[in-house]
Amino acid sequence: MTAARLVPCPACKTPTPYSPQNRWRPFCSERCRSLDLGAWASESYRVAAEAPPDAGEDTPSPPTRQ
């Protein structure tokens, strides 16, 4: 039987087995898993993206009556 592969916990970097026996995988514990979930919930993780253009730039202004 092959030994479980060790991977670093995403939260604390502790080597932890990546196997079905580790119920918190890829985390080492429930605590690290909860910390990561909390970071997502509080929007601490962000994806880099360009700022959207201002709404006024895309929309043509209505013609003016004279």
Side-chain angles (χ1 to χ4, degrees), residues 5-62:
R5 181 174 66 153
L6 292 178
V7 296
C9 171
C12 70
K13 307 300 182 218
T14 300
T16 187
Y18 191 80
S19 70
Q21 289 76 27
N22 177 4
R23 67 187 284 197
W24 308 114
R25 75 176 172 204
F27 302 98
C28 65
S29 65
E30 182 179 16
R31 178 184 174 275
C32 284
R33 181 176 174 226
S34 295
L35 288 172
D36 187 71
L37 179 61
W40 279 105
S42 67
E43 299 181 358
S44 294
Y45 297 135
R46 299 186 185 243
V47 176
E50 293 182 27
D54 290 337
E57 292 178 13
D58 291 344
T59 308
S61 56

